[in-house]
Amino acid sequence: SVKEISLSSLLIVVILRLGHWNFGACRDSFFNRTVAAILGNLAAHGVEHVHWHTANRMLEVAGLLARNAVKLRNGGPSRQPSLGEAAEMHRSRMVRSLLTSLLRLVSSCLRMPRVSTNTQLIYALQKNYPPQFTQLEADPELGPPLMHVRTATDWFEAQCPATDDTDLDVEAQIARLQEASARLPAELMTLASVAGASVSAYAETEDASAYFLPSVWEAAQSKLPDHVCWSSSTAKS
């Protein structure tokens, strides 16, 4: 079971599960853009204390999307596409939209001053860096956040090489990463600013509707009953 998880980390897990469900169930492009917009808003404002389960889930979904992006990046045909080709182009646009927002969220978590609170994510990157990320670094849209994430990961690896997976070693590694985060060089902050320069987030207001939470939360309750045990009193609060 997942314990002591922050609301922001829980929100990310639920949003990613909804995005994954949408790809398998109906491939609704508007719903995909909504999920991507929530992640984009979170990236623009920043997330702290990313839980280890959320960190692993972010990289798992990002790796899956990146693998699909690599396969689909050759573009569509110059002639009128067939129905099958049109469906693949539609899927490719959805993959890139969601992947772009998710990568910007990962990048934003590695910026100062939030990086010192997100050492669980750094550790997850050290242990399970998706190999497809490197293949997409030359992409004009996906490349900037990917370059920042890889450079930050490489810097932390040089400062604090990853350890074994025993509980004691993991806790010690997390402590070392947190200590090292205070020494993060200024060059990485420049990369971070470039990575987030083109974030497209919907305008914020004072209420939760800016994150599309009412409609998405309702979708989460109705579409994910087999994956989440909802408490009716908690879900409605």
Side-chain angles (χ1 to χ4, degrees), residues 65-79 85 88-89 91-93 95-96 135-136 139-140 142:
L65 292 171
R67 188 159 58 247
N68 279 274
V70 169
K71 294 178 181 178
L72 299 169
R73 64 179 171 178
N74 293 328
S78 56
R79 54 177 170 74
E85 290 169 336
E88 281 302 291
M89 292 169 62
R91 180 168 174 264
S92 177
R93 288 190 293 268
V95 165
R96 291 184 62 86
Q135 297 174 259
L136 294 171
D139 186 280
L142 303 173

Side-chain angles (χ1 to χ4, degrees), residues 47-216:
V47 176
E48 297 181 346
H49 305 289
V50 173
H51 191 272
W52 63 265
H53 175 75
T54 303
N56 287 325
R57 185 61 179 154
M58 289 168 71
L59 296 186
E60 180 184 349
V61 174
L64 178 63
L65 292 171
R67 188 159 58 247
N68 279 274
V70 169
K71 294 178 181 178
L72 299 169
R73 64 179 171 178
N74 293 328
S78 56
R79 54 177 170 74
Q80 181 69 22
S82 66
L83 289 178
E85 290 169 336
E88 281 302 291
M89 292 169 62
H90 173 72
R91 180 168 174 264
S92 177
R93 288 190 293 268
M94 288 179 58
V95 165
R96 291 184 62 86
S97 174
L98 190 57
L99 178 58
T100 300
S101 291
L102 181 52
L103 291 176
R104 287 171 178 164
L105 176 58
V106 174
S107 173
S108 77
C109 292
L110 302 180
R111 302 176 197 171
M112 291 292 285
R114 292 185 292 273
V115 62
S116 62
T117 71
N118 289 324
T119 48
Q120 298 277 5
L121 176 59
I122 300 168
Y123 183 73
L125 284 163
Q126 283 187 309
K127 300 297 289 186
N128 297 298
Y129 193 88
Q132 293 79 14
F133 281 10
T134 305
Q135 297 174 259
L136 294 171
E137 285 184 0
D139 186 280
E141 187 175 26
L142 303 173
L146 284 171
M147 286 290 292
H148 172 236
V149 170
R150 181 178 60 80
T151 306
T153 303
D154 288 347
W155 185 86
F156 276 105
E157 181 65 21
Q159 300 293 314
C160 314
T163 60
D164 296 330
D165 284 329
T166 64
D167 290 341
L168 183 61
D169 287 336
V170 170
E171 290 179 6
Q173 177 69 356
I174 294 298
R176 286 192 290 269
L177 291 170
Q178 187 169 8
E179 188 275 332
S181 66
R183 306 192 302 271
L184 205 63
E187 289 80 2
L188 280 178
M189 294 304 97
T190 302
L191 275 177
S193 65
V194 173
S198 57
V199 167
S200 178
Y202 289 126
E204 295 300 323
T205 64
E206 294 299 322
D207 57 30
S209 63
Y211 288 99
F212 299 93
L213 290 183
S215 58
V216 172

Side-chain angles (χ1 to χ4, degrees), residues 1-6 10 13 51-54:
S1 62
V2 178
K3 298 180 180 179
E4 299 180 357
I5 185 170
S6 65
L10 180 61
V13 170
H51 191 272
W52 63 265
H53 175 75
T54 303

Side-chain angles (χ1 to χ4, degrees), residues 214-230:
S215 58
V216 172
W217 198 251
E218 182 179 352
Q221 287 184 260
S222 62
K223 303 301 183 183
L224 305 180
D226 297 332
H227 306 279
V228 180
C229 181
W230 300 102

